[in-house]
Amino acid sequence: MGSVSLKIGDGTVRFRRATLCSSALHLVMLASVLITNLFALYAFTYAPKPLSPAVLHHKNISVISEHVAVILREIESSERRLHQIERELSGYETLDPSLPSLPSELKIFLNRHPLPLGPDSRSKITEMVSSVAHSCARSSDLLAQFMSYKPNTLCPVADSHLPMKLISRGCEPLPRRRCLSHTKPRQLLPLPKCLWNTPSFTGAAVLDKQMWIKPRGKNDFLIDDVLALAGRGIRIGFDIAGGAGNFAARMAERNITVVTSTLNAGGPVGEFVAARGLFPLQLSPANRFPFFDSTFDLVHTMNGLDEGGVIGMGQDPLKALEFLMFDIDRILRAGGLFWLDNYLCVDDERKRAVTRVIEMFGYKKLKWVVGEKANATITVKAQVYLSAVLQKPARG
Ligand SMILES: *[C@@H]1O[C@H](CO)[C@@H](O)[C@H](O)[C@H]1NC(C)=O
Ligand SMILES: *[C@@H]1O[C@H](CO)[C@@H](O)[C@H](O)[C@H]1NC(C)=O
Ligand SMILES: *[C@@H]1O[C@H](CO)[C@@H](O)[C@H](O)[C@H]1NC(C)=O
């Protein structure tokens, strides 16, 4: 494979932990609901049975309504407790700028600033609010580290992996900083030479000079075949989790501009992509894409579907996939292509699930190939790959 693997260190571990947490949460919720209901059942059914009609006579309305009030109060308070537990587990507590432990730079960044010229009449906005993802609160120690620096000086050297760590934990967007990034002079080649002759300082990434040009199997589509499907209507594209930017490089050779979303996992991948004269975008697929609706002629991905589910969201992978697919659909123009390239389905169930989600959108299947590839590492059975080129219909 040509692309750099973007699996982020402990992303999977965190996901498992999150699943455990949410399972625990579900158990707690289930238990609470059961207990509340049992309590209500008991209170409503217990008293009357052993009582004689004479005693029952004395049980007047006010006693019964007192019971009901107690039950209602109990239900309300357990609901409040559940809410609290849920908030704590999901890290939804917002960053409170009044906390003394927050670095002062973060406080300054988070301060609301009144608009200098007064309220904006069109948007009704009265003040500027700086944004930090709510899930940053879950990684407040890392965030504090990120925001601890001396303003107007060089940023701390040790923290080059911090942004990636935070983003892969769903802390996206990050706050802005007032420190200067480290930078070295680079010898860069002009286009198109730079596409395939990358400077030595970016050792981490892999150039794949074969992919999309010489097929290795029936799941490998040729770029020129796919472009022909769109009747040369492809001008701008987006490659989700596009690693080293090989896809964008092949497209650049055809005068097509492709933005590559990538994370700096295990090396300066963004710098590598940029050195090739390509456009890297530091973005996890778990985030809403920073593009307008109906922008792209083409959206391409190999591993993006899995990463959208695992990193950051920590929730049901299938639901995460749905959110991702809707966002892909949003940024594609009508008639544009979604190219799912050699998607590795973990198992048949995942393949069926992914197929179901994709088919929900009613795209025209221009190409659809399910293939198996023998894997030297796993000799037991071949792995299932799905490759597809789908065309977005016009709607509404
Ligand atoms: C209802 O019961 C309460 C206490 O059990 C008693 O104080 C009250 O007088 C009763 N009311 C009537 C209308 O019987
Ligand atoms: C790309 O654009 C350049 C300059 O406009 C042109 O010379 C070249 O033929 C184009 N390449 C392709 C593959 O269309
Ligand atoms: C074989 O499977 C392993 C584990 O799933 C994977 O890491 C590796 O990339 C696969 N190799 C090929 C050639 O697909």
Side-chain angles (χ1 to χ4, degrees):
M1 295 292 120
S3 58
V4 170
S5 167
L6 289 178
K7 291 273 176 274
I8 310 301
D10 60 350
T12 342
V13 177
R14 280 195 66 79
F15 174 58
R16 273 203 214 103
R17 214 183 298 141
T19 314
L20 263 175
C21 272
S22 64
S23 306
L25 174 63
H26 285 153
L27 279 180
V28 171
M29 288 173 105
L30 190 66
S32 288
V33 168
L34 272 179
I35 289 166
T36 311
N37 282 333
L38 282 176
F39 180 74
L41 193 68
Y42 166 81
F44 274 121
T45 56
Y46 170 71
K49 285 231 169 110
L51 291 179
S52 69
V55 179
L56 198 58
H57 233 84
H58 290 291
K59 282 236 146 204
N60 59 27
I61 299 288
S62 77
V63 171
I64 292 175
S65 65
E66 230 170 73
H67 268 237
V68 171
V70 167
I71 291 166
L72 284 180
R73 273 203 300 279
E74 186 67 24
I75 290 175
E76 258 174 37
S77 87
S78 58
E79 267 178 0
R80 266 201 307 277
R81 274 204 309 275
L82 269 180
H83 241 75
Q84 181 64 27
I85 293 170
E86 201 175 15
R87 264 215 314 273
E88 278 167 14
L89 278 181
S90 58
Y92 272 82
E93 271 120 327
T94 47
L95 290 158
D96 177 3
S98 66
L99 280 180
S101 59
L102 229 54
S104 61
E105 279 296 290
L106 186 54
K107 286 183 192 175
I108 294 170
F109 176 75
L110 289 176
N111 266 348
R112 291 160 182 252
H113 307 283
L115 291 185
L117 301 178
D120 182 71
S121 60
R122 249 192 302 167
S123 58
K124 310 286 182 232
I125 293 172
T126 56
E127 54 184 10
M128 292 288 293
V129 182
S130 311
S131 61
V132 176
H134 72 77
S135 24
C136 293
R138 257 190 311 198
S139 316
S140 49
D141 46 343
L142 283 180
L143 185 69
Q145 209 179 321
F146 180 69
M147 291 306 279
S148 300
Y149 57 82
K150 233 166 108 194
N152 310 320
T153 61
L154 280 178
C155 301
V157 187
D159 73 351
S160 65
H161 288 295
L162 262 182
M164 190 271 290
K165 276 192 198 159
L166 280 160
I167 289 174
S168 65
R169 284 163 174 76
C171 179
E172 194 178 17
L174 285 168
R176 281 184 169 151
R177 303 200 290 183
R178 294 191 298 170
C179 60
L180 298 163
S181 64
H182 296 259
T183 179
K184 291 190 187 81
R186 303 286 194 203
Q187 198 72 49
L188 295 172
L189 297 168
L191 274 167
K193 251 194 187 156
C194 57
L195 289 176
W196 299 100
N197 298 286
T198 48
S200 54
F201 67 86
T202 49
V206 182
L207 294 186
D208 187 333
K209 299 192 174 174
Q210 195 182 339
M211 193 74 188
W212 309 292
I213 300 295
K214 294 190 201 103
R216 278 170 279 215
K218 60 179 180 154
N219 278 73
D220 290 358
F221 303 152
L222 295 181
I223 273 188
D224 290 323
D225 290 351
V226 173
L227 293 182
L229 288 175
R232 321 290 324 163
I234 308 285
R235 304 147 308 145
I236 50 174
F238 179 38
D239 191 17
I240 303 169
N246 290 315
F247 184 75
R250 284 295 173 216
M251 285 300 192
E253 290 169 345
R254 287 154 181 81
N255 291 339
I256 294 165
T257 306
V258 168
V259 176
T260 305
S261 80
T262 189
L263 286 176
N264 275 352
V269 181
E271 208 176 346
F272 182 90
V273 174
R276 301 178 80 176
L278 305 168
F279 190 150
L281 188 67
Q282 186 185 37
L283 182 79
S284 80
N287 205 38
R288 186 181 201 259
F289 298 127
F291 301 116
F292 292 107
D293 295 3
S294 300
T295 296
F296 291 105
D297 306 313
L298 172 78
V299 173
H300 171 268
T301 193
M302 296 180 85
N303 316 316
L305 291 195
D306 285 339
E307 298 193 0
V310 176
I311 300 172
M313 301 189 107
Q315 44 155 264
D316 176 359
L318 205 57
K319 282 281 165 288
L321 174 64
E322 277 183 25
F323 277 103
L324 172 62
M325 271 306 300
F326 271 93
D327 209 22
I328 290 173
D329 177 77
R330 180 184 66 81
I331 59 174
L332 260 181
R333 67 164 171 83
L337 303 184
F338 174 48
W339 181 353
L340 183 59
D341 196 350
N342 281 278
Y343 171 65
L344 171 61
C345 311
V346 193
D347 49 31
D348 219 42
E349 197 191 327
R350 178 71 177 168
K351 191 197 83 195
R352 277 198 304 275
V354 168
T355 305
R356 206 166 46 239
V357 171
I358 289 174
E359 285 179 343
M360 221 165 65
F361 290 85
Y363 281 28
K364 189 170 166 196
K365 288 181 182 171
L366 303 181
K367 277 175 177 284
W368 186 275
V369 176
V370 177
E372 293 198 338
K373 275 187 210 170
N375 185 321
T377 342
I378 303 171
T379 43
V380 189
K381 66 176 188 194
Q383 291 178 304
V384 180
Y385 286 81
L386 171 63
S387 286
V389 177
L390 305 148
Q391 188 165 39
K392 178 175 169 175
R395 58 172 95 93

